[in-house]
Amino acid sequence: MRVLLLLACAGCSTVLGIDDLSGPLAGDAAGDSSLTPPDGPVVPPGGILIRGTVLTGTLDGVAGATVELVDQPEGIPNATTVSGGDGAFELVIDAMGNQFDGAALQASSPSTLVTLAYFRQPLSPDVSFSDARLQLFEDGSLAKLAAMCGLPEGPFKSAFLVFTVDAQGVAIPNTPFSTSPSATFCAEQGPTTSTGSSGVAFTFELPPGPVSVSSGSQIRSGRSEISTVTEVSLITSMGP
């Protein structure tokens, strides 16, 4: 899973050390019937396992970060863990056979903004996810990106990201979208209502509260919180 705040630019392969726009859970694994990886945690029947890494904006591991699966819009944690010395974490959700739709993976540490990432599809029991990546950003990093796009960075508003991806998690460029409530989004071409060449658009102007992102018949809902980086992705093409 990529949780990133990015402004791509012509001739640049990276911004703030980020060069991959594969979208959230692009590396998710197929279901594992045992859900007990070698030397890993035991997941109860009907449970969910998420393994991944908490990273800085320059892709260094973040030790001691709190990682939670939270219901939205209530923000109630269903499971909590702490990342290890290299930023790696394993989160076991005792789902008891229940499906989670609209839940978000949340990461935080004392010195960074909170990151919320929404899954491309509902979380289902007996399916494991490997390679979930949550990127945390310092306030200074966000200010740089806001300045590059000429967008304000209000202290009581959140950074909000939109990805457009296909069913395999590959970014789809230049995809029209709309949000409710409406906001001024930006991509590498400037203010926009379409994702850029990397399938990404972002804003700093959304107030806290529910947010719906629509692209054609695809609609995904998230929740914008104060001082968070919130990502929502839309599958705009189901592919062959």
Side-chain angles (χ1 to χ4, degrees), residues 30-162:
D32 180 341
S33 59
S34 67
L35 280 180
T36 308
D39 302 320
V42 175
V43 181
I48 300 169
L49 171 64
I50 301 175
R51 307 175 83 177
T53 310
V54 182
L55 303 166
T56 66
T58 53
L59 304 183
D60 297 317
V62 179
T66 300
V67 181
E68 299 173 303
L69 183 76
V70 294
D71 278 339
Q72 295 295 314
E74 293 84 3
I76 301 172
N78 285 293
T80 303
T81 190
V82 176
S83 63
D86 57 355
F89 69 87
E90 294 177 327
L91 186 65
V92 176
I93 298 101
D94 189 2
M96 296 182 291
N98 294 317
Q99 188 178 75
F100 292 87
D101 189 9
L105 203 59
Q106 177 175 291
S108 61
S109 74
S111 60
T112 61
L113 297 178
V114 173
T115 291
L116 285 170
Y118 293 83
F119 296 89
R120 287 200 304 261
Q121 63 280 321
L123 282 176
S124 298
D126 299 318
V127 173
S128 62
F129 295 91
S130 59
D131 194 33
R133 298 192 182 188
L134 294 164
Q135 289 176 243
L136 295 175
F137 293 90
E138 301 283 352
D139 289 335
S141 298
L142 298 183
K144 288 180 183 178
L145 290 172
M148 289 171 67
C149 210
L151 293 176
E153 186 190 5
F156 302 109
K157 297 184 180 181
S158 69
F160 199 85
L161 294 298
V162 174

Side-chain angles (χ1 to χ4, degrees), residues 168-186:
Q168 288 71 48
V170 178
I172 302 176
N174 306 315
T175 305
F177 69 93
S178 61
T179 64
S180 179
S182 61
T184 301
F185 277 76
C186 187

